[in-house]
Amino acid sequence: MTMMRIAVTGGIAAGKSTVVNHLRSLGAFVIDYDVLSREVVKPGGYVFQQIVSIFGENVVLNDGSLNREFIAKHVFGYSDESCANRKKLELLIHPAIYDCAKLLESKYESEYISKISKENRNVLDSINSVIVHDIPLLAQVIDSIPFSFDHIITVEAPQEIRVKRMISERNMTEDQALARINSQLPSKMRKNIADFVVDSTKPMESMLNSVDNTLKSWLCDANNKSAEMTKLGK
């Protein structure tokens, strides 16, 4: 059985979540790396303990959870120390996230295969056979992430729009918003690895229609290729 694995990425506040939630509503299985990043740092675990060893006891709140605001102040900045702290955190958290993603993907694929007929197991028969990896920082980790993707989507918007969104929707200051944007690679790097670029400044209906049409095209191509391989006995 071949599943279609798609990665969705995008700059902060560019509209990635809107596209991912749309794909989820259509029936795709979504692996949210932001959710996994919170899962792997739960109190008491190995990653949690290592974070405390890096940042000290001030990184723990009174309820025993991580002080994310404290961490943000020490990793989203322009200083060499902030960059070094961010690198340490990524080297610690990313492998744990990948392990979780592998388990989720394997479990879903097994459940999906068990539900379909043997005759259809070589066919990407619907959106349900699509696994979406929601990865905000894909461009940063594209060379080290232990997954290969059939297609990559990036969701983009101009910097000034993203800053306005973070100020109005996330209660950030302009400096905080710019620091978050500058901690990520520029949009050019995301576009370079993507098959499809979603312009989130377009009207919502138009934007999502473009996603739907692209996905349908990918599924059709994959099915045609599968049918050809079957004819050739491969």
Side-chain angles (χ1 to χ4, degrees), residues 27-134:
F29 179 69
V30 174
I31 299 176
D32 187 330
Y33 280 49
D34 277 341
V35 171
L36 295 185
S37 70
R38 293 191 290 272
E39 185 72 24
V40 301
V41 298
K42 284 186 174 180
Y46 171 78
V47 174
F48 178 90
Q49 294 171 359
Q50 292 302 305
I51 291 175
V52 174
S53 72
I54 293 172
F55 294 99
E57 293 298 330
N58 287 332
V59 79
V60 182
L61 295 170
N62 290 335
D63 64 1
S65 63
L66 286 178
N67 187 335
R68 295 182 178 276
E69 184 176 349
F70 178 89
I71 293 176
K73 288 180 180 178
H74 288 79
V75 300
F76 295 116
Y78 304 103
S79 68
D80 290 341
E81 183 180 4
S82 292
C83 292
N85 285 336
R86 186 164 64 250
K87 188 66 175 177
K88 289 178 183 177
L89 204 59
E90 290 172 352
L91 289 173
L92 181 64
I93 292 177
H94 289 178
I97 291 175
Y98 300 152
D99 287 343
C100 288
K102 288 176 183 177
L103 287 173
L104 288 173
E105 188 175 86
S106 178
K107 181 180 179 181
Y108 178 75
E109 185 168 357
S110 295
E111 291 176 349
Y112 179 76
I113 290 174
S114 69
K115 292 179 182 177
I116 63 176
S117 66
K118 184 176 181 180
E119 291 75 15
N120 289 330
R121 288 189 180 183
N122 292 320
V123 180
L124 289 163
D125 63 337
S126 72
I127 184 66
N128 299 115
S129 58
V130 174
I131 297 177
V132 174
H133 288 241
D134 177 358

